Amino acid sequence: MFNVVLVVALAAILYTVSLWVSSQQKPVSFPPREPSLLPWIGSAIGFFSDPHGFLARCHKRHGSVFSVLLGGRNVIVVSSPVAIFSIYASEIAVPSFTHNQVFRAVIGREQKRTKFNLERDIFPVLDQALSRRALGDLTRSLAQTMFARIEHLTRVQEAQIPIMPLLTKPLYDALNVILLGERFASGTYEDFNILDATMPKRLTGEPFWFFPSMQARKRISSHLLDYVAGSQGENEGLIGGKFIKALQESDVPQNEGTCHLLVFIWGTHANMQGVLVWLFLFLLMDPVALNALREEVDGAIKDIFGDLHGFLADANPDNLDGPHFALLTSAIVETMRLTVKIMGLRVATRDFDLKDGDREIPVRKGELLMGNVDAAHSDERSYPDSQKFVYDRFAHCDQREGKWPTEGKPWFSMGSGRHVVSFLFLRLHICIDVFRWHEQCKGKYMAMYELKVSAILYLHLFHITPVGGVPAPWWPLPPQRRIIGIPHAEEVIVQVRPRHSTKQGVICDRFSGHTLD
């Protein structure tokens, strides 16, 4: 027995020494590789089970640049702002996540081969319709249509409502009316959320029981098929008629066109819902921030618009920008910094050296590049108390019209560079909005104004408090919680009371007519 133990011990010593010798003889590779025991699979299990936790641990071990093996592909991960921007701005590294992959995740199959080309047929429409200078009619219509759906709550003494439908159903319905027109029937909100809740697993190919979301998708598709097959009139919304025309000109069958339109609808709504809910959850946890934003909104409505009626009539981009909404803009940008968990992948089309400050990172053709935006957004040198919601963190930055108050800080929540396919619009849950990310996010202005209009209405009209008193902090999230894209928020029941005893409904009757069911 003793001899056996001695032999095993000697073998272990010899093996350890041989590893040490070989490591001394082998040059240190750059970037350093995260070790893994499994060939080909590499670190895929650890990464996909907890993407952000896995990357955080690797960042702590290796620093701002390292590589990992994921399913036979070498992935170079960088977290310095310079390197992340270099990836997204590079002509050599192209997006590895395609419209077809998003299509397959939402629809459950590959798109059929047609002449329809998203970039050629739809991007020009979005360039024109969603540019900042063209958004005045949209933002005014959004304010009026949303108010029409929440005005009834100003007439009740109080109500208890889950915060998710309270904040997002009016926005969902209003935006559908604006983009697709009145002919697209309402009543798809619940089914949309059922489908959206499964998107993280759909996008990563994780097996799960699809039946509820398949039924929800089937019901939404039925509405959309009626919409696509119906007569095309003048009231087809800002995007709907042009989208259908592009499909028809490419001879896309109606059933297939319905699928493309459903993917568009998912990309339009998913992340905005998550950002809006998290903005209010952060405010509910921070009464000082909530009161400061409410005072700013009340003051701006009085000084800029005169009253609520004036806001609804003239909620255009010029009035929504500038220093009078500096705290609100800052709070929205801070919410995105914390919650938009981007992990955009790009693939190198040839060998090149990636610039990272004074050093260069060797990249080989076919390797994947990942910008670890979460690490950049959590850098204490750029963002002291980086895990905290600091509502005025960006309030003293440049507040010029049409500008983002993030200059000088690493902030990638709205993308960067050419053809960015990012995980924002999304509770993007991996959120990839291929419709809004080109050059930079095509819908970045519309996204900000959607959030501003929604927040202004709720802050000005209502007291919103969690049922049961001050909640335990929802943030930071538990470290073991898996996050892909914007984290799911736990459902919170809130008490809603009107803030004004005056007859808001009488003042604004011409904007009312629809209610939150």
Side-chain angles (χ1 to χ4, degrees):
M1 182 65 179
F2 175 77
N3 291 336
V4 173
V5 173
L6 181 60
V7 169
V8 171
L10 289 173
I13 293 171
L14 288 173
Y15 178 71
T16 303
V17 171
S18 67
L19 286 179
W20 180 84
V21 170
S22 63
S23 67
Q24 299 304 303
Q25 294 173 344
K26 184 179 179 180
V28 177
S29 63
F30 181 79
R33 166 72 70 89
E34 172 68 9
S36 60
L37 297 176
L38 300 175
W40 193 85
I41 293 174
S43 301
I45 296 174
F47 174 79
F48 286 110
S49 64
D50 180 15
H52 293 280
F54 174 83
L55 293 180
R57 292 189 293 272
C58 292
H59 182 269
K60 186 176 181 180
R61 281 193 292 268
H62 304 297
S64 63
V65 56
F66 54 89
S67 67
V68 296
L69 179 64
L70 300 178
R73 300 292 296 273
N74 190 52
V75 182
I76 298 175
V77 184
V78 299
S79 60
S80 74
V82 172
I84 293 174
F85 183 82
S86 295
I87 290 176
Y88 292 147
S90 174
E91 297 278 355
I92 304 170
V94 298
S96 67
F97 215 99
T98 67
H99 169 56
N100 189 51
Q101 289 171 285
V102 181
F103 186 99
R104 184 173 61 245
V106 176
I107 304 303
R109 61 168 173 80
E110 300 284 340
Q111 59 180 317
K112 295 179 181 178
R113 188 181 298 274
T114 66
K115 294 186 293 184
F116 179 72
N117 181 282
L118 180 75
E119 184 171 340
R120 181 196 65 217
D121 299 329
I122 300 301
F123 279 176
V125 174
L126 299 183
D127 279 333
Q128 181 179 7
L130 302 183
S131 67
R132 184 179 180 277
R133 64 179 177 273
L135 286 179
D137 291 340
L138 186 151
T139 52
R140 284 189 292 269
S141 180
L142 180 65
Q144 295 165 17
T145 310
M146 278 198 64
F147 178 80
R149 284 159 169 73
I150 61 176
E151 188 268 346
H152 72 289
L153 290 174
T154 67
R155 303 177 185 271
V156 300
Q157 184 174 359
E158 67 177 46
Q160 291 189 2
I161 305 173
I163 195 169
M164 184 76 174
L166 169 69
L167 297 177
T168 63
K169 187 177 189 299
L171 178 59
Y172 175 88
D173 288 338
L175 205 56
N176 279 344
V177 168
I178 292 168
L179 295 181
L180 302 179
E182 293 284 356
R183 203 165 55 79
F184 178 64
S186 59
T188 61
Y189 171 80
E190 289 78 10
D191 284 330
F192 172 84
N193 283 334
I194 292 172
L195 175 63
D196 181 48
T198 66
M199 284 304 295
K201 293 180 178 180
R202 289 178 177 272
L203 285 162
T204 56
E206 181 179 335
F208 72 106
W209 184 244
F210 284 94
F211 186 74
S213 65
M214 288 172 60
Q215 294 299 105
R217 182 181 62 202
K218 182 178 179 180
R219 290 189 290 267
I220 299 175
S221 296
S222 176
H223 282 286
L224 285 173
L225 183 58
D226 292 341
Y227 176 79
V228 171
S231 60
Q232 304 300 304
E234 294 183 359
N235 187 17
E236 298 300 327
L238 189 65
I239 302 295
K242 297 174 182 177
F243 202 119
I244 294 175
K245 182 180 178 181
L247 293 169
Q248 291 174 340
E249 290 177 347
S250 297
D251 298 322
V252 178
Q254 288 182 351
N255 284 331
E256 191 72 4
T258 296
C259 296
H260 284 288
L261 201 53
L262 177 56
V263 178
F264 172 79
I265 289 173
W266 175 76
T268 298
H269 293 292
N271 257 22
M272 283 302 92
Q273 293 191 5
V275 173
L276 183 60
V277 170
W278 272 110
L279 170 64
F280 274 82
L281 290 179
F282 284 134
L283 293 178
L284 293 180
M285 289 187 289
D286 188 344
V288 173
L290 178 60
N291 290 332
L293 262 65
R294 181 175 288 140
E295 289 179 3
E296 179 184 75
V297 166
D298 289 347
I301 286 180
K302 179 181 178 181
D303 297 337
I304 305 300
F305 303 98
D307 55 18
L308 180 61
H309 182 281
F311 171 74
L312 296 175
D314 204 18
N316 62 58
D318 290 339
N319 289 331
L320 292 170
D321 283 335
H324 40 273
F325 285 119
L327 290 179
L328 176 59
T329 303
S330 174
I332 292 172
V333 171
E334 175 74 344
T335 300
M336 291 182 180
R337 179 187 72 84
L338 285 169
T339 61
V340 178
K341 304 293 187 179
I342 302 171
M343 292 186 296
L345 283 172
R346 301 175 82 86
V347 60
T349 57
R350 62 175 173 83
D351 293 355
F352 74 104
D353 292 326
L354 179 70
K355 297 292 184 181
D356 184 16
D358 295 332
R359 64 183 176 179
E360 294 182 338
I361 303 169
V363 181
R364 299 293 167 257
K365 179 179 178 180
E367 288 185 322
L368 296 175
L369 296 163
M370 178 188 294
N372 188 2
V373 171
D374 199 31
H377 285 181
S378 302
D379 190 334
E380 290 289 326
R381 294 167 297 182
S382 301
Y383 298 111
D385 294 325
S386 63
Q387 294 304 308
K388 293 183 179 180
F389 173 76
V390 181
Y391 74 97
D392 59 349
R393 192 187 294 275
F394 299 93
H396 306 294
C397 300
D398 190 350
Q399 299 289 333
R400 286 178 296 172
E401 294 175 359
K403 301 292 183 181
W404 293 84
T406 57
E407 291 185 13
K409 293 183 179 294
W411 192 85
F412 297 92
S413 295
M414 280 290 182
S416 176
R418 187 174 186 274
H419 293 284
V420 175
V421 180
S422 176
F423 302 116
L424 163 64
F425 263 166
L426 324 195
R427 205 167 20 214
L428 206 220
H429 298 94
I430 268 189
C431 273
I432 303 156
D433 183 5
V434 294
F435 296 101
R436 294 192 175 188
W437 299 94
H438 174 67
E439 302 299 333
Q440 283 192 337
C441 173
K442 282 190 175 299
K444 66 178 182 179
Y445 292 119
M446 190 174 85
M448 177 58 81
Y449 298 135
E450 287 176 46
L451 292 167
K452 282 188 176 181
V453 166
S454 302
I456 289 168
L457 285 174
Y458 285 104
L459 288 168
H460 182 68
L461 291 173
F462 304 113
H463 288 291
I464 301 175
T465 54
V467 171
V470 178
W474 292 293
W475 194 273
L477 296 172
Q480 72 275 13
R481 182 169 176 180
R482 181 185 182 190
I483 304 171
I484 298 179
I486 294 180
H488 287 264
E490 299 297 333
E491 188 58 277
V492 177
I493 307 298
V494 293
Q495 180 175 276
V496 182
R497 293 182 293 112
R499 292 185 59 219
H500 306 281
S501 58
T502 56
K503 296 182 179 179
Q504 298 272 12
V506 174
I507 295 173
C508 303
D509 259 348
R510 71 188 181 117
F511 299 124
S512 63
H514 302 280
T515 61
L516 173 67
D517 296 331

